[in-house]
Amino acid sequence: MIENSMFEEEPDVVDLAKEPCLHPLEHDEVEYEPRSSRLLVRGLGEHEMDDDEEDYESSAKLLGMSFMNRSSSLRNNMSVYRQNPNGSCLVPSTRTMVVCTVVLVVAVSLIMAIYLLPKCTFTKEGCHKKNHTMELIYPLATNGKLFPWAKIRLPPDVVPLHYDLVLQPNLTTLKFAGSVKIVVNVVQVTWKIVLHSSGLNITKATITSTGGHEAKPVEFLEYPLHDQIAVMAPEALLVGQNYTVNIEYSSDLSDTYYGFYKISYKDENSKQRWFAATQFEPLAARSAFPCFDEPALKATFLIKIKRDEKLTTLSNMPKKATTPVTNGIVQDEFFVSLKMSTYLVAFVVADLKNVTRETNGSLVSVYAIPQHLNQVGYAVNTTVKLLEFYQKYFLINYPLEKLDLVAIPDFQSGAMENWGLITFRETTLLFDSNTSSARDKKLITAVIAHELAHQWFGNLVTMEWWNDLWLNEGFATFMQYFAIEEIFPELHSDEDFLNLIFKAMMKDSLNSSHPVSSAVQSSEQIEEMFDALSYIKGASLLLMLKHYLTKDVFQAGIEVYLHNHNYGSAQSDDLWDSMNEITNGTLDVKKLMKTWILQKGFPLVTVVRKGKIISVKQEKFLYRVEPENWTSDASYLWHIPLTYTTSSCNFTHCTNAYLLDQKSAVIELPEEVEWIKFNVDMNGYYIVHYTEDWKTLIDLLKKTHTALSPKDRANLINSIFSLAGLGKESLEKAFELIDYLNKESSTAPLTQALFQLSLIYSLLEKNGEQQLAARVMHRIEHLLGDKIDQQRWTDDGTLSERELRSTLLAFACTHDMRNCRTTATEMFEKWMKSNGTMSLPSDVMKAIFTAGAKSSDGWEFLLKMYSSSVSEAEKSKMVEALASTEDVRKLIWLMQNSLEGEVIRAQELSHIIATVSQNLPGYLLAWDFVKENWEKLARKFHLGSYTIQSIISWSTSQFATKAHLLEVKSFFESKSEESSHLRCVKEAIDTIQLNIQWMERNLAKLQELL
């Protein structure tokens, strides 16, 4: 990549500054082409110079005038001509003639040289803005020849239309062979076809023209830095013509979680088996077959897979035919796919069993390894309900004849929405009625709902480039919660969404945040877009828009968007244009929403009430740590759909709306009210500061907390603690607000209060303030102790009650509160004596395991049971309990073993590091482990991936000293440029600085307060 700073280098041509009579412009008026750009070869295509061939005449005139002016000033001093006493000129001497001739030749040469320069050379800005050097300089391929393309994005010369892909994975040698025929259409005359390939050993490449019978061998070049290969055509490829590129290759099945990768697992007889699966999003299809691996370059796919006759193969489309190949090997051919992006292509080769149901002409099947088949029932029924809902809501039928959901034994992310073949981590698809808790059920339902929403948002209509990833992920996240609320209201998924929004806002309040729609180029930048802002902030902005437009208008806008862009790609503006078709001039949705997706952060709205007059003003909510390094926020302005409710709410008209599109405004109420609460149910992505009215709201919670909804109460708790962190409110007032909690029975406010107090406790505990931390825990016990005592060690009650029980008892046992740990330990010992055969209540299983793992014998027994358990829900609770031990040697072993993937799978590592880092004995160990194993982690999980983001965040988030700040900075600075420039590294540094500031600002106050 060429940086603009390169243009500031000194030239390696004649230094004109040292030749004053030949230097027509001042030294600081011309920016020169860098040495490196002149030493590389220029572009070959004539069209690549078109933009530079502008009015060069003006450059020549500029030079000529300057030169003449400079020359005229020297005339009086010229001594090369001899004069007679009478003033007449004599004939010049031979020496004079020679000198003049040389000067003239040099001058003409210089004029011609300048004439050929683009006129932007003579501007202050120079030519770097157009960055033509980027277009004209070509790198070297692996064989030393010039590679004919220098950009990360593929050239527009050709577009793919269709792929014929044949693969033969070998689960014994763990390698695969493949061949691909790609039909391309030529858009611009070219001699090259540039596409993606990563880690593939290409053995043969040919090209055939439309109607041509002979495949012509072609030279191909490889440029691994950009994962690109170039097929060099033997003759010009003509516009409008189709050509077929045929490439044969081989590779190893990957040992990471990307591409076509291998998985080891044990069958019912404890025999090791192998499983091959794909994970292509965002950039890994190129490591399974050469392709045009960009989301907008959609094509159709015909896939054939050769496999052992005892195994099963699955792909995006239904199977068309199976034919024998050789002894014991058969080939499965699948129907031609719909037009789709490469990242959605998928295939699985394994020993699988399935359960199937039919709905609306499509077969829904859930696949798992044989010993897990009895856990797929819930997923099948849930998928059918959700699929039917989405088809009615979008008014577009699911377009394929089948939908497969596959539980993968080792899978990095939660799930992947491959069209027609959705892959899942086992914990997000399999439900065991004996060991899966209420929370497990919510997780499985949410993940299925998310991936099914993608079959429309992402698969049918795809974002054009990764900068608009939120169009895929924000929409799927929004739809998952909306669909669950409509179909499974008993799950109270809106409470989970609320907690996620609070956490996304914590990330978004840092200077290291980014706009929802952000320019990205490199693989690390693309990977980092898969974060809480693309998913959760994107979803919450859609929630806010839905409430402002009303649900019917919003739904109609979605229908227009999907119909206008189906089987194609879209940008953010396309969505807003679709919404504007429905609003029909009554509201400019594009103008409103651009203020939210193109600016990072969110607004803080300050409310001042005087009688009936409400003054509101907006500013950017931003934690400031080092003012000189922080972005100015004076220019930030959002168009905020404010909502508010008051004490005069009469149930028929409780919520009022006001669009704040200026820095400040005044709202006049029809009458004076006792209290006012903005951001009703936290449906808007902003925080409200009430200045004097905080006292009114605190009194309201103490007297009649049910006057506000549970989400409003949780919102107030989150807001006041956030404002205390910002320095706008006191911690004293925040603690005063939560004093009402002993009367609280709803999950949302209780979990939010517990979260905020736990943050304070952890910060104090990890930074040598154990006594003060104990006083915080005493305050929590004072507020929630009675609630903890009321919990029963069963699975009774509503799903919301059961989830609250899990949260409270796990917290109480971890911190040895009340008699929780005693009860849990007794239950664990009974379970251990039964050799794990005794049934434990699933909602309190984690609390029981955590208490049992405190003893060495209990920990060892739990590890043994982990190895033999067939329930992924149970194993997930076990591994968290194992990581909660205070035995340092066991923690080190656990992290190391998970990285190696022997007993504990590598997919669990980020969860293990998160758990270890929360405990006092483990938080420094987790960071040491990350430092010692950084290269292995980066290779296994890929720089920028959500797993790497999580590992960096959890292993550093408890630090609050300048020594730790320096250590984290120095560590990443010592690593590769790609590592040190990761956004999650900057976020970790921001967080540590914020922790330091919080301790300095609040430590003395807390000591007084508690």
Side-chain angles (χ1 to χ4, degrees), residues 437-715:
S437 64
R439 188 173 296 166
D440 294 328
K441 179 176 276 192
K442 288 179 81 169
L443 173 67
I444 292 166
T445 311
V447 176
I448 293 173
H450 182 97
E451 303 309 328
L452 289 187
H454 270 310
Q455 306 303 298
W456 286 265
F457 287 99
N459 300 8
L460 186 66
V461 180
T462 310
M463 80 265 139
E464 194 170 290
W465 181 244
W466 302 105
N467 62 303
D468 277 330
L469 176 68
W470 84 274
L471 281 176
N472 280 20
E473 299 300 349
F475 247 117
T477 304
F478 166 77
M479 287 306 304
Q480 85 183 55
Y481 289 109
F482 175 66
I484 294 173
E485 209 172 329
E486 293 289 315
I487 307 170
F488 307 102
E490 71 280 3
L491 293 180
H492 294 283
S493 65
D494 54 331
E495 294 175 354
D496 300 316
F497 191 18
L498 185 66
N499 285 325
L500 288 173
I501 292 171
F502 291 147
K503 289 173 184 175
M505 292 179 96
M506 287 176 68
K507 179 186 177 81
D508 204 16
S509 63
L510 301 173
N511 199 50
S512 51
S513 182
H514 66 89
V516 167
S517 182
S518 298
V520 289
Q521 284 282 346
S522 72
S523 60
E524 294 82 16
Q525 290 171 342
I526 291 169
E527 289 274 10
E528 283 204 290
M529 287 300 285
F530 290 80
D531 68 357
L533 301 183
S534 293
Y535 285 71
I536 311 304
K537 181 178 180 179
S540 64
L541 296 182
L542 292 170
L543 176 71
M544 180 171 69
L545 183 62
K546 171 179 163 269
H547 280 277
Y548 188 57
L549 295 179
T550 72
K551 64 180 183 179
D552 292 338
V553 172
F554 181 79
Q555 182 179 357
I558 287 178
E559 289 167 7
V560 169
Y561 171 74
L562 290 174
H563 279 92
N564 285 354
H565 301 284
N566 60 7
Y567 302 104
S569 52
Q571 302 175 0
S572 296
D573 279 358
D574 294 319
L575 174 63
W576 312 139
D577 289 340
S578 297
M579 295 288 179
N580 278 342
E581 283 188 39
I582 304 301
T583 59
N584 198 24
T586 57
L587 172 71
D588 189 343
V589 177
K590 184 187 290 188
K591 186 178 178 183
L592 182 148
M593 293 308 293
K594 275 193 166 186
T595 69
W596 292 96
I597 67 162
L598 298 180
Q599 298 184 118
K600 68 180 181 180
F602 56 88
L604 168 64
V605 176
T606 301
V607 175
V608 178
R609 179 167 63 105
K610 290 182 180 174
K612 295 191 294 181
I613 302 300
I614 311 294
S615 301
V616 291
K617 69 168 185 176
Q618 63 164 295
E619 61 189 294
K620 186 178 182 185
F621 186 104
L622 181 66
Y623 289 116
R624 301 174 186 277
V625 181
E626 293 179 342
E628 69 276 9
N629 293 332
W630 293 71
T631 310
S632 168
D633 60 353
S635 62
Y636 278 80
L637 178 73
W638 285 267
H639 291 192
I640 313 171
L642 295 177
T643 56
Y644 59 93
T645 185
T646 69
S647 54
S648 61
C649 163
N650 59 14
F651 295 104
T652 57
H653 183 69
C654 276
T655 302
N656 304 277
Y658 180 87
L659 184 65
L660 178 62
D661 55 4
Q662 303 293 326
K663 282 286 186 184
S664 60
V666 171
I667 302 169
E668 186 172 354
L669 302 178
E671 58 186 345
E672 285 197 32
V673 294
E674 293 174 27
W675 54 264
I676 187 167
K677 161 68 173 67
F678 276 81
N679 201 356
V680 177
D681 282 340
M682 184 64 193
N683 287 328
Y685 192 75
Y686 57 94
I687 282 181
V688 182
H689 178 32
Y690 294 93
T691 58
E692 299 91 349
D693 258 7
W694 274 115
K695 186 177 185 311
T696 308
L697 291 167
I698 289 168
D699 289 342
L700 176 67
L701 289 175
K702 285 178 180 173
K703 291 174 188 171
T704 323
H705 68 279
T706 53
L708 297 174
S709 71
K711 285 194 278 190
D712 274 333
R713 303 197 294 268
N715 176 212

Side-chain angles (χ1 to χ4, degrees), residues 247-273:
I247 300 174
E248 296 177 10
Y249 61 95
S250 62
S251 188
D252 294 330
L253 290 169
S254 172
D255 57 1
T256 72
Y257 289 106
Y258 290 81
F260 195 14
Y261 74 101
K262 63 192 180 205
I263 301 153
S264 166
Y265 70 97
K266 290 197 170 117
D267 64 15
E268 303 103 314
N269 304 315
S270 298
K271 182 183 175 184
Q272 186 186 45
R273 301 289 300 274

Side-chain angles (χ1 to χ4, degrees), residues 261-321:
Y261 74 101
K262 63 192 180 205
I263 301 153
S264 166
Y265 70 97
K266 290 197 170 117
D267 64 15
E268 303 103 314
N269 304 315
S270 298
K271 182 183 175 184
Q272 186 186 45
R273 301 289 300 274
W274 288 98
F275 189 122
T278 56
Q279 171 59 42
F280 289 163
E281 191 180 29
L283 307 172
R286 62 192 68 174
S287 64
F289 59 101
C291 58
F292 295 80
D293 204 8
E294 293 185 2
L297 298 177
K298 294 187 171 186
T300 56
F301 296 81
L302 189 157
I303 295 172
K304 300 174 183 176
I305 299 177
K306 297 173 185 177
R307 47 120 179 146
D308 185 307
E309 61 186 359
K310 295 175 184 173
L311 299 176
T312 301
T313 60
L314 300 171
S315 188
N316 305 84
M317 300 300 291
K319 199 172 291 180
K320 181 180 181 181

Side-chain angles (χ1 to χ4, degrees), residues 258 282 412 523-531 937-938 940-952 982 984:
Y258 290 81
Q412 182 178 334
S523 60
E524 294 82 16
Q525 290 171 342
I526 291 169
E527 289 274 10
E528 283 204 290
M529 287 300 285
F530 290 80
D531 68 357
L937 292 168
K940 182 74 177 175
F941 300 112
H942 283 221
L943 285 179
S945 69
Y946 190 79
T947 303
I948 289 290
Q949 294 176 46
S950 175
I951 286 171
I952 291 174
L982 288 174
C984 55

Side-chain angles (χ1 to χ4, degrees), residues 315-428:
S315 188
N316 305 84
M317 300 300 291
K319 199 172 291 180
K320 181 180 181 181
T322 299
T323 53
V325 179
T326 58
N327 190 28
I329 302 294
V330 296
Q331 176 176 279
D332 291 328
E333 178 181 343
F334 298 88
F335 283 99
V336 176
S337 76
L338 299 175
K339 193 177 176 186
M340 64 182 184
S341 305
T342 48
Y343 78 85
L344 293 170
V345 174
F347 28 89
V348 170
V349 183
D351 179 15
L352 296 167
K353 301 292 182 188
N354 68 290
V355 171
T356 299
R357 269 188 65 185
E358 191 270 341
T359 176
N360 199 30
S362 296
L363 288 177
V364 173
S365 303
V366 179
Y367 287 82
I369 56 176
Q371 61 262 45
H372 288 158
L373 187 62
N374 64 342
Q375 299 174 38
V376 305
Y378 179 75
V380 174
N381 295 330
T382 300
T383 302
V384 168
K385 289 178 185 176
L386 286 162
L387 201 59
E388 289 170 353
F389 170 79
Y390 284 140
Q391 292 180 123
K392 288 176 185 172
Y393 187 80
F394 299 137
L395 294 182
I396 297 176
N397 283 340
Y398 173 72
L400 304 182
E401 292 178 10
K402 65 96 175 174
L403 175 61
D404 297 335
L405 293 78
V406 187
I408 309 283
D410 200 6
F411 196 76
Q412 182 178 334
S413 56
M416 175 62 210
E417 66 267 20
N418 317 297
W419 215 350
L421 178 60
I422 308 175
T423 47
F424 291 77
R425 186 182 285 213
E426 289 181 319
T427 49
T428 61

